[in-house]
């Protein structure tokens, strides 16, 4: 692709995302986007039919990038020849989310705005669906084969509830990181990701309080 075209497309996309710094998606207009990107309307319509067309491309690119990063990170789990304990799972966050967090960091502005209250709730649902699918693939590596039907009969705690808590914790962590981009490094997020996967809220508060002593 021509470098000038790439630069123009990037300007349009970044211009759109920048508008979401201050405006809700529903209020964002084509005029807002072209003003932010410092391009003409003619240039915009050379590439996109409307705002929704641009939004779909941005979101699809982000989802594909996340999928690719998750697949690469998942390879680290395939080398495990035993079921890891909680401490090992915590440590695995250093490698099991390495490319995924790097991708999120590289695209933090777009992800944080699209997942914010100014963004697209449908995109949030797509991220959750992606996380659900990835969770299902990773469960055997981390926890072994689980007979969910049998376990749900015997356990008062439905597996779907556990899964939702697990996934929402990770997704919300990424959203909070995006909302405060300069507060935490990638390595700190990896460490927190390991903790929230293996510690209860009570334990996390105790860890937090330990730094005050």
């Amino acid at each position: 692709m021509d470098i000038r075209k790439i630069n123009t497309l990037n300007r349009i996309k970044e211009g759109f995302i920048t508008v979401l710094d201050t405006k809700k998606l529903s209020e964002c207009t084509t005029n807002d986007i072209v003003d932010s990107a410092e391009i003409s309307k003619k240039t915009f319509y050379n590439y996109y039919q409307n705002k929704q067309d641009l939004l779909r491309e941005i979101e699809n690119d982000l989802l594909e990038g996340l999928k690719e990063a998750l697949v690469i990170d998942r390879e680290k789990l395939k080398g495990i020849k035993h079921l890891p304990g909680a401490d090992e799972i915590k440590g695995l966050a250093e490698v099991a989310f390495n490319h995924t967090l790097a991708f999120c960091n590289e695209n933090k502005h777009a992800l944080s705005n699209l997942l914010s209250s100014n963004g697209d709730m449908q995109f949030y649902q797509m991220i959750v669906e992606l996380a659900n699918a990835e969770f299902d693939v990773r469960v055997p590596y981390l926890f072994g084969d689980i007979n969910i039907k049998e376990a749900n009969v015997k356990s008062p705690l439905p597996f779907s509830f556990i899964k939702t808590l697990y996934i929402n914790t990770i997704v919300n962590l990424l959203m909070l990181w995006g909302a405060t981009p300069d507060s935490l490094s990638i390595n700190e997020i990896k460490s927190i990701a390991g903790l929230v996967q293996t510690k209860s809220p009570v334990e996390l508060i105790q860890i937090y309080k330990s730094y005050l002593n």
Side-chain angles (χ1 to χ4, degrees):
M1 188 184 293
D2 183 270
I3 188 67
R4 288 174 298 180
K5 181 177 180 180
I6 293 173
N7 289 338
T8 300
L9 290 173
N10 286 339
R11 283 178 64 181
I12 294 171
K13 291 173 184 177
E14 183 57 32
F16 181 31
I17 295 302
T18 299
V19 172
L20 298 180
D21 286 344
T22 55
K23 274 194 171 184
K24 291 185 178 297
L25 177 62
S26 58
E27 299 169 352
C28 170
T29 66
T30 303
N31 284 338
D32 293 327
I33 297 169
V34 299
D35 287 346
S36 178
E38 298 182 342
I39 59 168
S40 67
K41 272 192 175 182
K42 181 177 182 297
T43 299
F44 178 88
Y45 288 117
N46 280 341
Y47 300 105
Y48 301 103
Q49 295 179 8
N50 49 43
K51 176 182 74 175
Q52 292 301 322
D53 189 26
L54 171 59
L55 178 66
R56 278 193 299 272
E57 182 173 304
I58 293 173
E59 292 182 342
N60 286 340
D61 286 347
L62 289 171
L63 287 169
E64 285 305 311
L66 281 169
K67 287 178 185 176
E68 290 173 8
L70 285 165
V71 168
I72 294 170
D73 286 338
R74 195 191 307 151
E75 289 298 314
K76 298 294 183 181
L77 300 179
K78 291 183 179 180
I80 302 173
K81 304 302 180 184
H82 60 279
L83 288 182
D87 286 341
E88 192 173 354
I89 289 174
K90 181 163 68 73
L92 280 169
E94 293 289 327
V95 292
F97 293 107
N98 194 37
H99 290 82
T100 305
L101 289 176
F103 179 84
C104 289
N105 189 51
E106 184 181 336
N107 296 277
K108 192 181 291 184
H109 190 201
L111 285 167
S112 61
N113 277 6
L114 288 171
L115 292 171
S116 73
S117 58
N118 280 355
D120 181 13
M121 181 55 69
Q122 289 184 337
F123 182 62
Y124 173 80
Q125 293 301 328
M126 287 187 277
I127 292 288
V128 170
E129 287 173 14
L130 175 60
N132 266 281
E134 186 64 23
F135 178 86
D136 290 341
V137 175
R138 292 191 181 210
V139 160
Y141 297 114
L142 298 174
F143 308 110
D145 293 324
I146 301 174
N147 188 326
I148 296 173
K149 286 185 178 180
E150 181 182 343
N152 279 345
V153 171
K154 298 178 179 179
S155 171
L157 189 60
F159 189 76
S160 59
F161 182 72
I162 299 170
K163 181 178 178 180
T164 299
L165 283 176
Y166 191 101
I167 289 168
N168 284 348
T169 297
I170 297 298
V171 173
N172 288 336
L173 173 61
L174 294 177
M175 289 175 65
L176 288 170
W177 183 36
T180 54
D182 299 322
S183 61
L184 296 166
S185 68
I186 290 182
N187 286 335
E188 287 171 325
I189 286 293
K190 287 179 185 178
S191 177
I192 295 171
L195 285 171
V196 298
Q197 287 181 89
T198 56
K199 302 294 183 183
S200 70
V202 171
E203 289 174 305
L204 291 174
I205 291 172
Q206 290 171 340
I207 292 170
Y208 179 78
K209 285 180 64 179
S210 70
Y211 287 96
L212 303 177
N213 298 330

